[in-house]
Each structure stands twice: as structure tokens, then as C-alpha cells.
Amino acid sequence: MSPPPRPESPASPRLRVAAVQMRFADSIAGNLEQIEQAAITAADAGADAVLFPECATTGYAFDFSTLKPAPLRNGLHDVAAIAARLRVNLLVGSPIFAGRRLFNGLLVFDRTGRLIHTYAKCQLTESDRQWFTPGNGISLFSLDGVPATVIICHERRYPELVRLPVMAGAQIVFHPNAGMDAEEVSRAKRKGRDGIPVRAFENAVYYVFANSVGPQGGGKWSAGDSKIVAPDATFLQLADNRRAMILVHDLDLSQATRKYAIDSLNHPRILAKHWRRMLPELRRQVSEVDRTFQRWYDSSSGGRRS
């Protein structure tokens, strides 16, 4: 039996991450302004990677039937320019097109402003299904040499979406979110009672969760409660459920051992052989999905290149 996959050796044993708890504006331009200001603040704090909520470019209460590809693409090119100017990795939740289909995505821009990964939410809520096509892949990418993965919002209920990329090497889970609850439900959600620490613990990885906060339109609210969680399920940073804010913390990557995921690649053998067979397909699908969205992002029709 071949040895389990190991993460790439990072340039540094630490990565400083930021989770932006964001109160959405009522326009793409307004959200882009907030993204820029938060990115500046996080970069000034020494962050290497900055995570924004689900649909950060538009807000989650946006009327997606009115969304046009060109303004969205232009906005994402602006995000790329921010990443390049600040020399920081930006992970930004946004709708994204592929052909005429709209997806609920997370785009990863590296320190040069290059789009290096796109993940499309595959487990959709009823609200999502009104507008979005489900993705058909699992996330795996590298930030400054550190393997990582992404899930979006509702997907924390599907542990396989984390387990498989951790088996493939991921040491950090990035989780953009945009809650939509009645105000009384939202305000009751507090102190991390959402299962996220369990996902960190069962995979022995770090978990970075960035949520929206405040009114979402239509009487709905988002609970905030953004957090950064250690592999032993300890809260390293925990936001409140009232204010926009930025959490920043250094991750000691030597603690993200992936132990339990690696153990599962060996025992029980009846399952291990199937897990191992899935990993090459996971990587192939990641590359295919990235190429699909890169083509749209690079398209010159109605857009501009950063």
C-alpha cells in the first residue's frame, strides 16, 4: 500500500489568517469598497490570507435575476488588483458564471492578483436553488505552499466535503458563510454552537469561518459569530453577532497534523482502498473546474483584464 499523501512543505511553519465579518452593502460597488478597506486593515495587521463571506461581492439578499456577467467580472478583476497591490491572498465569496449558468462560488486570488482556484458550492439550500447551479467538485488548493480547502455555508453539514481534501493534504478549512434567519433566531446563535469545532477536531486541521452580520433584507438576519478554530477544537478567535469586525490569528501549521484523516487512509482496509481511489479523481476534478471558471474570468467579452 502506498504511503498517505503529505502536505507540501510551506515556506514558513506559520500562516497568519484573517476572517472578515461583513455587513453587506446594497450594491456591488458598496461591497467592493468594504472588501478593499477590510483587505487593507488585514494586510496592515500582517495577514497572509484574508477570507470574506459567501457572496461578499453582491450580498446574499441580492436579486440574482438582475446580475449581469460583465459588471461582476469587472468587480472580481478589481478584487484581483487589490490582492496584487496589497501583496496578500484574498478568498472572496461571489456569484460566478460559467456560460449562462450562475454558481455560488469562492474565488482565491494570490499575492500577485492571479486567480488560482475557484470552488462552486455543490450542496445548495432551497434559496440557492432559485438562482444557482450546483457545483460538481471538491476544493483543494495551496496558499503560500500550505494546502487548503473550502466549503460554503450550508455545506458544513456534509463532512465528506472536508474529509476528502484533508486526506489529499489540506491543513486549513476556509468557510465563507451568509446566514439568513429570522432576527430572533439569528441573535440566539452565539459562542460557536454550530458544529464547526467538531469538523476541525475530527480532521486535526484549522478552521477559518467568515460570516456576514446584521440585516439581510426581507426580515432576515445573519448571526455573525465568525471564528478561527484550532485542530483541537479550541476557539482562537470568536466574533460577536452584532458588529462588522476582522479576526486575525497566526496558525502554527505543525499542529494541523491531519492525523485522523491519514489514519482513515489505512484502516479499515475495506474503506481505505476506496478513499485512496477517490483522491486522484478529486485532483482531476479540481483542475477541470478551475479551468472552466478561469475561462469565464479571462473572457474579454464585456469585461476588462486586471
Side-chain angles (χ1 to χ4, degrees), residues 119-137:
Y119 173 68
K121 186 176 181 181
C122 60
Q123 295 288 2
L124 303 183
T125 65
E126 289 301 319
S127 296
D128 286 324
R129 292 189 189 98
Q130 296 180 62
W131 314 112
F132 298 115
T133 299
N136 188 36

mmCIF file of all heavy atoms in Angstrom, residues 119-137:
data_model
loop_
_atom_site.group_PDB
_atom_site.id
_atom_site.type_symbol
_atom_site.label_atom_id
_atom_site.label_comp_id
_atom_site.label_asym_id
_atom_site.label_seq_id
_atom_site.Cartn_x
_atom_site.Cartn_y
_atom_site.Cartn_z
ATOM 1 N N TYR A 119 -14.022 27.566 -6.300
ATOM 2 C CA TYR A 119 -14.888 26.483 -5.822
ATOM 3 C C TYR A 119 -16.342 26.907 -5.994
ATOM 4 O O TYR A 119 -16.707 28.044 -5.681
ATOM 5 C CB TYR A 119 -14.608 26.179 -4.354
ATOM 6 C CG TYR A 119 -15.595 25.185 -3.772
ATOM 7 C CD1 TYR A 119 -15.608 23.862 -4.198
ATOM 8 C CD2 TYR A 119 -16.529 25.578 -2.822
ATOM 9 C CE1 TYR A 119 -16.528 22.950 -3.692
ATOM 10 C CE2 TYR A 119 -17.438 24.676 -2.297
ATOM 11 C CZ TYR A 119 -17.441 23.368 -2.742
ATOM 12 O OH TYR A 119 -18.358 22.479 -2.240
ATOM 13 N N ALA A 120 -17.170 25.990 -6.468
ATOM 14 C CA ALA A 120 -18.603 26.237 -6.628
ATOM 15 C C ALA A 120 -19.382 25.368 -5.649
ATOM 16 O O ALA A 120 -19.214 24.145 -5.625
ATOM 17 C CB ALA A 120 -19.045 25.938 -8.055
ATOM 18 N N LYS A 121 -20.189 25.987 -4.830
ATOM 19 C CA LYS A 121 -20.999 25.305 -3.823
ATOM 20 C C LYS A 121 -21.820 24.197 -4.474
ATOM 21 O O LYS A 121 -22.519 24.423 -5.458
ATOM 22 C CB LYS A 121 -21.914 26.339 -3.160
ATOM 23 C CG LYS A 121 -22.730 25.860 -1.987
ATOM 24 C CD LYS A 121 -23.507 27.054 -1.412
ATOM 25 C CE LYS A 121 -24.349 26.709 -0.212
ATOM 26 N NZ LYS A 121 -25.084 27.915 0.283
ATOM 27 N N CYS A 122 -21.711 22.992 -3.922
ATOM 28 C CA CYS A 122 -22.390 21.848 -4.550
ATOM 29 C C CYS A 122 -23.629 21.398 -3.787
ATOM 30 O O CYS A 122 -24.537 20.806 -4.380
ATOM 31 C CB CYS A 122 -21.418 20.683 -4.728
ATOM 32 S SG CYS A 122 -20.678 20.056 -3.213
ATOM 33 N N GLN A 123 -23.675 21.632 -2.477
ATOM 34 C CA GLN A 123 -24.852 21.305 -1.677
ATOM 35 C C GLN A 123 -25.637 22.592 -1.443
ATOM 36 O O GLN A 123 -25.264 23.427 -0.629
ATOM 37 C CB GLN A 123 -24.444 20.657 -0.349
ATOM 38 C CG GLN A 123 -23.757 19.308 -0.496
ATOM 39 C CD GLN A 123 -24.716 18.203 -0.920
ATOM 40 O OE1 GLN A 123 -25.909 18.429 -1.150
ATOM 41 N NE2 GLN A 123 -24.202 16.980 -1.022
ATOM 42 N N LEU A 124 -26.722 22.752 -2.192
ATOM 43 C CA LEU A 124 -27.454 24.005 -2.199
ATOM 44 C C LEU A 124 -28.656 23.976 -1.262
ATOM 45 O O LEU A 124 -29.284 22.936 -1.059
ATOM 46 C CB LEU A 124 -27.940 24.325 -3.623
ATOM 47 C CG LEU A 124 -26.864 24.417 -4.704
ATOM 48 C CD1 LEU A 124 -27.505 24.810 -6.034
ATOM 49 C CD2 LEU A 124 -25.770 25.398 -4.328
ATOM 50 N N THR A 125 -28.991 25.142 -0.730
ATOM 51 C CA THR A 125 -30.225 25.312 0.025
ATOM 52 C C THR A 125 -31.374 25.587 -0.936
ATOM 53 O O THR A 125 -31.161 25.817 -2.139
ATOM 54 C CB THR A 125 -30.099 26.487 1.006
ATOM 55 O OG1 THR A 125 -29.938 27.696 0.237
ATOM 56 C CG2 THR A 125 -28.889 26.304 1.928
ATOM 57 N N GLU A 126 -32.585 25.629 -0.409
ATOM 58 C CA GLU A 126 -33.735 25.967 -1.247
ATOM 59 C C GLU A 126 -33.578 27.364 -1.824
ATOM 60 O O GLU A 126 -33.920 27.613 -2.989
ATOM 61 C CB GLU A 126 -35.022 25.860 -0.433
ATOM 62 C CG GLU A 126 -35.424 24.433 -0.085
ATOM 63 C CD GLU A 126 -35.633 23.563 -1.326
ATOM 64 O OE1 GLU A 126 -36.211 24.063 -2.316
ATOM 65 O OE2 GLU A 126 -35.202 22.395 -1.312
ATOM 66 N N SER A 127 -33.065 28.302 -1.022
ATOM 67 C CA SER A 127 -32.838 29.658 -1.531
ATOM 68 C C SER A 127 -31.829 29.664 -2.667
ATOM 69 O O SER A 127 -32.012 30.344 -3.690
ATOM 70 C CB SER A 127 -32.346 30.563 -0.398
ATOM 71 O OG SER A 127 -33.316 30.700 0.607
ATOM 72 N N ASP A 128 -30.754 28.891 -2.486
ATOM 73 C CA ASP A 128 -29.739 28.802 -3.548
ATOM 74 C C ASP A 128 -30.335 28.316 -4.859
ATOM 75 O O ASP A 128 -30.003 28.818 -5.936
ATOM 76 C CB ASP A 128 -28.629 27.818 -3.148
ATOM 77 C CG ASP A 128 -27.680 28.345 -2.088
ATOM 78 O OD1 ASP A 128 -27.390 29.542 -2.109
ATOM 79 O OD2 ASP A 128 -27.237 27.547 -1.251
ATOM 80 N N ARG A 129 -31.192 27.324 -4.758
ATOM 81 C CA ARG A 129 -31.688 26.657 -5.981
ATOM 82 C C ARG A 129 -32.530 27.568 -6.856
ATOM 83 O O ARG A 129 -32.752 27.264 -8.030
ATOM 84 C CB ARG A 129 -32.483 25.400 -5.608
ATOM 85 C CG ARG A 129 -31.625 24.291 -5.013
ATOM 86 C CD ARG A 129 -32.403 22.994 -4.859
ATOM 87 N NE ARG A 129 -31.638 22.030 -4.094
ATOM 88 C CZ ARG A 129 -31.794 21.801 -2.788
ATOM 89 N NH1 ARG A 129 -32.726 22.465 -2.129
ATOM 90 N NH2 ARG A 129 -31.044 20.927 -2.163
ATOM 91 N N GLN A 130 -33.000 28.677 -6.301
ATOM 92 C CA GLN A 130 -33.736 29.626 -7.131
ATOM 93 C C GLN A 130 -32.852 30.232 -8.208
ATOM 94 O O GLN A 130 -33.344 30.610 -9.277
ATOM 95 C CB GLN A 130 -34.291 30.759 -6.268
ATOM 96 C CG GLN A 130 -35.316 30.359 -5.235
ATOM 97 C CD GLN A 130 -35.773 31.573 -4.444
ATOM 98 O OE1 GLN A 130 -36.342 32.524 -4.997
ATOM 99 N NE2 GLN A 130 -35.486 31.572 -3.155
ATOM 100 N N TRP A 131 -31.550 30.330 -7.912
ATOM 101 C CA TRP A 131 -30.662 31.081 -8.794
ATOM 102 C C TRP A 131 -29.449 30.291 -9.273
ATOM 103 O O TRP A 131 -28.967 30.511 -10.380
ATOM 104 C CB TRP A 131 -30.138 32.336 -8.064
ATOM 105 C CG TRP A 131 -31.180 33.103 -7.345
ATOM 106 C CD1 TRP A 131 -31.319 33.248 -5.998
ATOM 107 C CD2 TRP A 131 -32.257 33.855 -7.929
ATOM 108 N NE1 TRP A 131 -32.399 34.031 -5.701
ATOM 109 C CE2 TRP A 131 -32.994 34.428 -6.869
ATOM 110 C CE3 TRP A 131 -32.667 34.107 -9.254
ATOM 111 C CZ2 TRP A 131 -34.111 35.219 -7.077
ATOM 112 C CZ3 TRP A 131 -33.777 34.897 -9.465
ATOM 113 C CH2 TRP A 131 -34.480 35.447 -8.382
ATOM 114 N N PHE A 132 -28.944 29.399 -8.424
ATOM 115 C CA PHE A 132 -27.633 28.817 -8.663
ATOM 116 C C PHE A 132 -27.697 27.379 -9.158
ATOM 117 O O PHE A 132 -28.577 26.607 -8.770
ATOM 118 C CB PHE A 132 -26.789 28.854 -7.379
ATOM 119 C CG PHE A 132 -26.516 30.232 -6.856
ATOM 120 C CD1 PHE A 132 -27.026 30.637 -5.630
ATOM 121 C CD2 PHE A 132 -25.756 31.127 -7.590
ATOM 122 C CE1 PHE A 132 -26.781 31.910 -5.143
ATOM 123 C CE2 PHE A 132 -25.502 32.410 -7.117
ATOM 124 C CZ PHE A 132 -26.016 32.799 -5.892
ATOM 125 N N THR A 133 -26.704 27.032 -9.971
ATOM 126 C CA THR A 133 -26.471 25.649 -10.397
ATOM 127 C C THR A 133 -25.513 25.002 -9.391
ATOM 128 O O THR A 133 -24.540 25.641 -8.979
ATOM 129 C CB THR A 133 -25.818 25.634 -11.788
ATOM 130 O OG1 THR A 133 -26.700 26.259 -12.729
ATOM 131 C CG2 THR A 133 -25.513 24.207 -12.240
ATOM 132 N N PRO A 134 -25.752 23.757 -8.980
ATOM 133 C CA PRO A 134 -24.815 23.131 -8.041
ATOM 134 C C PRO A 134 -23.468 22.845 -8.704
ATOM 135 O O PRO A 134 -23.402 22.461 -9.869
ATOM 136 C CB PRO A 134 -25.518 21.832 -7.639
ATOM 137 C CG PRO A 134 -26.491 21.566 -8.738
ATOM 138 C CD PRO A 134 -26.911 22.897 -9.268
ATOM 139 N N GLY A 135 -22.395 23.042 -7.961
ATOM 140 C CA GLY A 135 -21.071 22.691 -8.453
ATOM 141 C C GLY A 135 -20.889 21.191 -8.501
ATOM 142 O O GLY A 135 -21.698 20.421 -7.982
ATOM 143 N N ASN A 136 -19.799 20.766 -9.120
ATOM 144 C CA ASN A 136 -19.535 19.329 -9.258
ATOM 145 C C ASN A 136 -18.068 19.046 -8.980
ATOM 146 O O ASN A 136 -17.380 18.418 -9.783
ATOM 147 C CB ASN A 136 -19.910 18.844 -10.660
ATOM 148 C CG ASN A 136 -19.820 17.335 -10.768
ATOM 149 O OD1 ASN A 136 -20.131 16.622 -9.813
ATOM 150 N ND2 ASN A 136 -19.397 16.845 -11.918
ATOM 151 N N GLY A 137 -17.601 19.518 -7.835
ATOM 152 C CA GLY A 137 -16.215 19.278 -7.474
ATOM 153 C C GLY A 137 -15.999 19.526 -6.000
ATOM 154 O O GLY A 137 -16.899 19.990 -5.286
#
